Amino acid sequence: MQISIAWRRIARVFLPFAAGYYLSYLFRTINALIASHLSSDTGVGAADLGLFTSVYFLVFAAAQIPVGILLDRFGPRRVQSVLLLLAAVGAGLFAASTGFLSLLIARALIGLGVAASLTAGLKSIILWFPRERVALLNGYMIMLGSLGAVTATAPVEYLLAWMGWRQLFEILAAATGATAILIYLVVPERSVAPSTAATTLSSVFSDRRFWRMAPLSATCVGSSWSLQGLWASPWLTDVEGLDRASVVRQLFIMSIMLSGGAWLFGMTVHHIKRRGIGAETILTIVAVLFIAAELALILRAPLPSILPWSVVAIAGTTTVVSFAVIADYFPPELAGRANGALNVLHFGWAFLAQSATGLILEQWPANDGHRSVQAYQVAFGLNVALQIATLVWFALPWRQSVAPWISSIPFFMPASDSDAVEAVGVYENSVILVPADDDAEW
């Protein structure tokens, strides 16, 4: 009987939300593969391409905290189904777009529409599954979702061989709309507690440890997403001189590395914590390796390019390590808000890095549609310089709070003790528990 209930919950709760997160990851990374098609068909340059691709991250980041509040108030079923309908509209508009402005609006709608894709799924897991299964199911959710990045390589390339990118986005629009309807019709409803999350954000933003670690995490994770989500493909074409098949093959390998990265970091953090070693150590090592990989690309080190690009891809899953560090800094009742605040910086930096790279590349003339090696070296080098600065900031001794003034803002008043009891909200890769109704029936 219990086994039957568990499988019904897997089918009616877990899998529909996993499908939504899969689509989110697919939308996030697909522009890397179709970038050349977009440029040739619509005439957009590198700067415009970087801007309308990166606006996904900007809207996604801006929506994190409001979406968390909506999830707390209305529940994951209704919020996710409505937002995915917006993503479907955005995908349809993207398919019909012929110029920069319509592409920008369409990409922004997609970013807003998938902003709750993982968070809604994680909250549904909390609401419907035993707590001892939450971590395991969260891991499966992230792993299945990251398969969207795998799909946005060789499988999409095969589809593009017999249909255009516009037809592909029409299919994605239909699939996203169908997923929204599926979630609304199949996922059961469960009441949630009202949210009071905003009243304790000052505890995060006024903590000097947060501002010591967050810049390093944001510049590494956001830069990785920026590169894999768009600029890896042009680099491989313009700098490495790879043909289309080789580029797709390398992007496919990078996406596989991305999928395995979360599992690798999760296991590593688990084992080192049992030995009394803090997760900050792993964050430092990953940052150093990521910077070294980027420098190897910039300096044209005599290495197979798949090696540094694999490190770049794996760095995108450093969120697992960063949130483990956050867990050491804040009590459980603040963990979700701290993770959400950090996620805003992750996606915000991805937007800045992706758009700024396009602006820098645009300063060099294109030769037969290709940018010079120097253009990429300058664009990537500026990003690396900022990462090195945040690594130095992270490593230096620190004594004073960076943002004590935030605690004086009335909006961020400290929470009462009762707020911890009602801990609510789900953010990307993190969960705040919501008391579930154990007597709810299917």
Side-chain angles (χ1 to χ4, degrees), residues 207-222:
D207 193 294
R208 62 179 180 266
R209 297 170 302 175
F210 177 85
W211 289 110
R212 172 182 175 242
M213 181 274 292
L216 178 63
S217 181
T219 54
C220 288
V221 173

Side-chain angles (χ1 to χ4, degrees), residues 59 83 92 110 112 115 138 143 172 177 208 227 262 294 299 342 349 386 391 394 429:
V59 174
L83 287 179
I110 293 173
L112 178 60
N138 285 354
M143 181 184 69
L172 288 177
R208 62 179 180 266
L227 293 172
E294 291 175 291
L299 300 176
L342 182 59
W349 187 263
L386 293 171
L391 179 61
F394 180 75
N429 293 347

Side-chain angles (χ1 to χ4, degrees), residues 42-272:
T42 63
V44 296
D48 288 343
L49 180 64
L51 180 58
F52 78 69
T53 298
S54 63
V55 77
Y56 171 102
F57 293 112
L58 178 64
V59 174
F60 201 112
Q64 286 301 290
I65 292 177
V67 162
I69 295 173
L70 290 174
L71 286 171
D72 297 334
R73 177 167 304 210
F74 299 108
R77 168 180 165 267
R78 283 180 283 180
V79 172
Q80 177 69 327
S81 57
V82 170
L83 287 179
L84 281 181
L85 286 178
L86 282 179
V89 172
L93 177 60
F94 198 92
S97 296
T98 57
F100 168 73
L101 182 59
S102 57
L103 287 169
L104 180 73
I105 295 173
R107 184 72 173 169
L109 280 176
I110 293 173
L112 178 60
V114 299
S117 291
L118 178 59
T119 59
L122 296 182
K123 185 158 190 173
S124 69
I125 290 173
I126 281 293
L127 291 174
W128 287 104
F129 293 91
R131 291 188 178 184
E132 63 270 17
R133 297 287 183 181
V134 166
L136 178 63
L137 290 170
N138 285 354
Y140 283 130
M141 178 76 71
I142 296 171
M143 181 184 69
L144 291 174
S146 65
L147 293 178
V150 178
T151 305
T153 55
V156 166
E157 180 70 2
Y158 289 135
L159 290 175
L160 289 174
W162 58 279
M163 72 170 65
W165 64 271
R166 296 184 186 278
Q167 289 73 33
L168 176 61
F169 265 83
E170 289 173 356
I171 293 174
L172 288 177
T176 305
T179 303
I181 295 172
L182 176 69
I183 290 174
Y184 187 81
L185 296 179
V186 173
V187 176
E189 193 66 68
R190 196 162 217 180
S191 60
V192 294
S195 174
T196 56
T199 60
T200 60
L201 288 175
S202 66
S203 301
V204 176
F205 287 122
S206 63
D207 193 294
R208 62 179 180 266
R209 297 170 302 175
F210 177 85
W211 289 110
R212 172 182 175 242
M213 181 274 292
L216 178 63
S217 181
T219 54
C220 288
V221 173
S223 296
S224 173
W225 291 348
S226 165
L227 293 172
Q228 185 169 11
L230 179 60
W231 296 118
S233 178
W235 168 283
L236 293 172
T237 301
D238 297 348
V239 179
E240 302 289 342
L242 300 184
D243 58 23
R244 181 71 178 179
S246 299
V247 169
V248 173
R249 187 183 310 113
Q250 189 139 319
L251 291 175
F252 179 78
I253 295 173
M254 289 171 62
S255 65
I256 294 295
M257 293 296 181
L258 174 72
S259 298
W263 175 84
L264 173 65
F265 286 138
M267 292 294 294
T268 302
V269 170
H270 173 72
H271 285 296
I272 68 166

Side-chain angles (χ1 to χ4, degrees), residues 227 231 235 294 298 353 356-362 364 373-386:
L227 293 172
W231 296 118
W235 168 283
E294 291 175 291
I298 294 169
T357 297
L359 287 172
I360 294 173
L361 292 177
E362 197 79 355
W364 275 262
V373 174
Q374 184 183 14
Y376 286 97
Q377 288 174 325
V378 172
F380 286 19
L382 177 61
N383 212 9
V384 171
L386 293 171

